[in-house]
Structures are given as structure tokens and as C-alpha cells.
Amino acid sequence: LKTEALAALDAAQDESALEAVRVNFLGKKGSVTALSQGMKDVPVEQKKEVGAKLNEVRTAITEGIDAKKLALQAAQDAKAVEGIDITLPGRPGAGTGALHPLTQIRDLAIRTLRRMGFALAEGPEIETEWHCFDALNTPADHPARNEKDTFYLPDGRLLRTHTSSVQIRTMEAAKTLPIRIIAPGSAYRRDEIDATHLSVFNQLEGLYVSQDVSLGDLKGTLEYFFREIFGAGTAVRFRPHFFPFTEPSFEIDVKLEAKGKDARWIEIAGCGMVDPAVFAEINKARGDNLFDPETTTGFAFGLGLDRLAMIMHGITDIRHLIENDVRFLQQFAA
Ligand code: PHE
């Protein structure tokens, strides 16, 4: 039976012939199967010997089928590449993907700030009014809270209008000081869409809280950061401004050296020293005094990543960043 099966295997020229052999010998009605069923009639003294023999035959056929299957596959593969030069190198770059310019800039900013000792933090994009406004010392009648400017959900929560809510989340959860975090993420505002406004944009928040954090630390940190990103010859200026959650507050403008004569100051970030009213509110929510307003100081900043990408690449319309036109995106492939 074994010889017969192996001969049949040898003769099989394709997968279906092979399958037929399997069915003939090992299938439900196959001859090996029939013999196995006959085992019950074999006298007890011979059972062991006959059983072993039967197993040997079954194994031999199974292995034979597997080997033949591989051989048939190999023959088929060889035939498939006939006439094709499989040593021909592929065409480099054909259809290769690349990171979106915004992703590249975000990663560069994160890399730079992490090197300076900032850790990554995050918070939800759907926020409570408390985290987005109240805890940030923003009065109930502040224009930013208006329904015309902010996306409110039916349950009273909202789409965060800035990543500053992550400052609050981080301080709420902190176990000890110092805190030194950055939080990149989306923010939402009900702006009229044009070349410089979308209803969703990308910010990167920073927060450093400790004892004896000074305005000098804030200026030094951000000047260093922008020169790392835009080049050593970049001019950075701090313009007095107002934010409810920092005092004093500034807007930061940069002027790139590479742009030469017609260089302009471009607003890129908001920043300031954390207002003690924010620390007081956090203490109240935590029920402790970790952020003792007598001894705790800190700075915070929020920069626009879309802005950063636009300045860096001379992009004049923010809508390019979300349209995914390959003619635009291709320019940023590495
Ligand atoms: N949250 C402010 C904005 O979106 C920016 C900011 C962040 C200002 C941190 C000061 C401190 O305009």
C-alpha cells in the first residue's frame, strides 16, 4: 500500500492530483483509513505491531504529500518569474510616503524642548468649562467664552479653545514640584475660515512651575528655543500683552535672518508668568497647598504650530496644511 501510494504521489503533476491522492489513501473512505477501522478485528497480540506499521504508512504518505506540495510550489514559482529579471533593482522613491510638514515641525519642536528638560503631557480635546476657562482665571463674561467663538457641546462641555487646559490638568494631578511639561495638540475656535484661520489648529503648550522661576528664565528658554528652530540669527521680541492666566503676559514675535531686508516681525506665541490666582484655584480643587502662592512661581507659553510651519516654509495659506494635495506635500518629502 505504501509503495502504491508513493508511486501515485510521484505521478501527481498538480495540486488537484495531489489532493486526489490524499483523499484516496487518507480521506474518510481512503484505504489507509479503511485499514485503521479494521484494527478492531486484529487479535490483541498483533495489535501493537499492526498499529505501528499502519502509523508508519500514514506518516510516510503525509510526509510524501507535503514534500510534493513544496516541490510543485517551487516549480510554479520558477515558472512565474521566467522571463523576468528578478535581479533588477527597484525604482527608488516610487510611491514612498513622507511625514506631513506639520508633523515634521511638531516633532522638531518636541525634540528640542525635551532636550531642554520638558516632558510630554496631554489632556482631552473635549473639556470642561472649568479646565478651559475658570481655572485659568477667565471671568464668566470674557469674550473668548462666547458661543460665537467657542464650540459648546449640548452637555455644557466644549472643544478646548487652547492647550492651556493641559496646564490645569497637569497641576491638578501633580504629586511634587517642579513641573516642566509641554503639550502639543489641537485647539478649536469658531473662526471664519480664510488664509490664516481654520476652525481647528495646532498649539504647543509649555509649563514650568517651581520655586524662583523668573521672567529671565522664561525669556532665556524661549529665545533659545526659537534660535534652535529658526537659526542662530533669529531676532526674538517680547511685546507686553494680556492673558487672564499669566501676569505679566507677552506676545512673542520672531524675525528670521534668512529673509534679509524685507524681514518682518511675525507673532508666534503667547506667554507669561503664571498668575497666582491660578495656583490658588488649583490648591482649592486639590484640597492642599502644593502650589503655595507665597513660594511657587512659574511660566507658561503657547505657540502656534501651524504658524511655525508657515513661517518656516513660507506657506501663505493655512488651508494648504489640511488639503492633502500631493503637489504641495511632495515639497516636504525628505
Ligand atoms: N492660551 C493662549 C492662547 O491660546 C496662549 C498662552 C499660553 C498665553 C500660555 C500665555 C501662556 O492664545
Side-chain angles (χ1 to χ4, degrees):
L1 187 61
K2 182 170 148 192
T3 327
E4 191 189 320
L6 295 185
L9 273 180
D10 216 31
Q13 279 319 315
D14 55 36
E15 295 241 1
S16 60
L18 205 57
E19 177 62 9
V21 174
R22 194 190 64 77
V23 171
N24 270 339
F25 291 89
L26 303 178
K28 258 200 191 111
K29 301 200 169 109
S31 25
V32 176
T33 314
L35 281 179
S36 305
Q37 278 156 358
M39 276 295 283
K40 58 180 185 293
D41 303 324
V42 175
V44 180
E45 342 45 285
Q46 287 176 34
K47 263 204 164 78
K48 199 166 159 191
E49 195 191 331
V50 175
K53 199 86 200 153
L54 211 52
N55 274 337
E56 182 203 314
V57 172
R58 194 183 294 114
T59 309
I61 299 176
T62 311
E63 282 172 2
I65 291 177
D66 287 347
K68 183 75 188 199
K69 207 179 241 166
L70 284 179
L72 283 178
Q73 261 313 333
Q76 212 174 45
D77 289 350
K79 213 156 146 198
V81 297
E82 230 177 285
I84 297 176
D85 180 1
I86 58 168
T87 67
L88 188 71
R91 275 181 217 131
T96 322
L99 291 179
H100 191 278
L102 204 52
T103 309
Q104 293 182 28
I105 298 261
R106 187 197 61 200
D107 291 352
L108 172 65
I110 293 174
R111 255 196 327 273
T112 308
L113 286 157
R114 288 187 66 165
R115 225 167 43 226
M116 295 164 69
F118 289 87
L120 272 179
E122 60 180 0
E125 293 178 14
I126 296 179
E127 259 303 2
T128 65
E129 270 198 86
W130 187 80
H131 287 91
C132 198
F133 295 127
D134 299 291
L136 286 159
N137 197 35
T138 309
D141 59 355
H142 192 280
R145 302 180 69 139
N146 202 304
E147 300 214 352
K148 283 215 323 286
D149 298 309
T150 300
F151 292 106
Y152 281 92
L153 274 62
D155 65 4
R157 290 183 301 167
L158 48 80
L159 299 184
R160 69 180 179 199
T161 56
H162 49 187
T163 46
S164 298
S165 52
V166 187
Q167 290 184 35
I168 301 303
R169 294 261 167 203
T170 306
M171 288 191 274
E172 252 188 315
K175 299 221 160 58
T176 53
L177 299 185
I179 292 170
R180 202 189 275 112
I181 59 103
I182 49 171
S186 305
Y188 302 82
R189 288 182 201 170
R190 297 186 64 163
D191 279 325
E192 195 82 51
I193 291 173
D194 60 26
T196 53
H197 295 89
L198 292 172
S199 43
V200 53
F201 59 107
N202 297 275
Q203 286 192 324
L204 187 145
E205 193 79 12
L207 175 68
Y208 174 35
V209 179
S210 185
Q211 266 118 36
D212 305 322
V213 179
S214 70
L215 189 54
D217 295 330
L218 167 61
K219 289 189 74 175
T221 301
L222 290 175
E223 273 172 10
Y224 176 83
F225 171 74
F226 286 120
R227 295 201 172 117
E228 283 289 296
I229 296 281
F230 291 124
T234 307
V236 182
R237 119 183 139 181
F238 292 76
R239 231 178 338 98
H241 195 73
F242 175 82
F243 296 105
F245 37 94
T246 47
E247 179 60 33
S249 304
F250 305 90
E251 277 187 334
I252 306 175
D253 303 331
V254 293
K255 189 158 73 173
L256 307 202
E257 187 183 43
K259 300 276 172 207
K261 268 217 224 63
D262 43 56
R264 288 187 303 116
W265 287 105
I266 303 166
E267 178 199 325
I268 184 94
C271 67
M273 303 303 292
V274 179
D275 195 309
V278 174
F279 290 144
E281 185 68 13
I282 298 284
N283 283 336
K284 207 162 82 188
R286 295 170 57 100
D288 65 12
N289 200 34
L290 180 63
F291 296 88
D292 184 351
E294 292 297 318
T295 53
T296 313
T297 48
F299 69 66
F301 59 90
L303 60 103
L305 287 173
D306 313 84
R307 266 288 172 85
L308 208 65
M310 290 174 75
I311 295 173
M312 208 143 163
H313 297 300
I315 299 165
T316 51
D317 194 322
I318 192 172
R319 288 169 290 200
H320 284 311
L321 292 175
I322 58 163
E323 278 166 355
N324 287 334
D325 184 329
V326 283
R327 292 167 302 182
F328 171 76
L329 294 175
Q330 251 162 11
Q331 304 173 61
F332 307 98

